[in-house]
Amino acid sequence: MKIILIGFMGTGKTSVATQIGSMLQWPVIEMDQLVFERTNTKSMHEVFAKGGELLLRETEIEISKTLATAENSVISTGAGVVMNKINVDYLRQCNGKTFWLNGSFSTITARLADDTSRPLFKDVAEAKSLYDFRLPLYLKYADTTVNIENKSAEAIAHEIVNAHRKGHHHGE
Ligand code: S3P
């Protein structure tokens, strides 16, 4: 069983995953961190400098493949995993369920206002078109949609853990 968090940059995947991990006593897997390990880098800017977005996307596919058989873990994905369906297919193996952290673009921009760590969130207009492009993909790949507006990471984590316990998903 895996809880997989998907959603745009700045929707709180990392914080929510950490909360879920401590609630369920499950390890938390941070995909961006695994990208750094595999590409021998320390930041997304370094990944992009080394091999562009393509290096990130190829590495994500390799990582998703290795995570296919992960058991009882919370996976915090990079927001771009939905760009390649194969990632979602791998991650969903062995009873992996995706939870989409869905928030408005204005909430996201407010949260990322002082953040300089994301190469794909430099220009607000460009980020908005990426957001619009990605929205239907998150919708398509979400087993469960979680509205994040005006909720703390802890509240969102509780919602996901409750849905998971109630078996709000198939195949348990
Ligand atoms: C990206 C999102 C980032 C990171 C990279 C690219 C994207 O992850 O993987 O900067 O394509 O939207 P977060 O969702 O953790 O910000």
Side-chain angles (χ1 to χ4, degrees), residues 31-60 63 117 119:
M31 284 186 68
D32 283 352
Q33 217 54 53
L34 297 181
V35 170
F36 301 153
E37 284 170 24
R38 280 201 174 229
T39 56
N40 202 14
T41 55
K42 290 196 177 63
S43 71
M44 271 306 156
H45 291 296
E46 247 188 278
V47 176
F48 275 61
K50 211 167 183 173
E53 186 176 350
L54 187 64
L55 176 62
L56 168 62
R57 300 300 169 220
E58 287 179 347
T59 311
E60 281 178 327
I63 292 167
S117 69

Side-chain angles (χ1 to χ4, degrees), residues 55-166:
L55 176 62
L56 168 62
R57 300 300 169 220
E58 287 179 347
T59 311
E60 281 178 327
I61 295 172
E62 288 169 16
I63 292 167
S64 300
K65 191 172 184 176
T66 69
L67 294 179
T69 53
E71 264 305 324
N72 291 353
S73 37
V74 191
I75 299 177
S76 173
T77 62
V81 294
V82 293
M83 301 294 277
N84 291 298
K85 179 180 180 287
I86 186 96
N87 290 321
V88 183
D89 290 342
Y90 280 136
L91 293 171
R92 271 180 169 157
Q93 281 180 32
C94 301
N95 210 5
K97 298 297 163 195
T98 56
F99 292 84
W100 171 30
L101 305 191
N102 180 22
S104 69
F105 188 72
S106 61
T107 297
I108 287 166
T109 8
R111 286 196 194 185
L112 296 184
D114 300 321
D115 189 296
T116 53
S117 69
R118 291 168 169 94
L120 296 181
F121 207 105
K122 270 190 281 196
D123 177 88
V124 177
E126 277 173 30
K128 176 69 167 74
S129 22
L130 193 59
Y131 178 89
D132 291 340
F133 178 81
R134 296 249 186 98
L135 221 51
L137 297 173
Y138 294 124
L139 185 62
K140 181 169 158 193
Y141 295 129
D143 294 315
T144 304
T145 299
V146 184
N147 176 6
I148 64 158
E149 296 297 323
N150 303 310
K151 289 179 197 160
S152 65
E154 201 186 351
I156 298 165
H158 272 293
E159 223 176 286
I160 294 174
V161 167
N162 287 340
H164 156 77
R165 288 198 172 127
K166 281 189 200 135

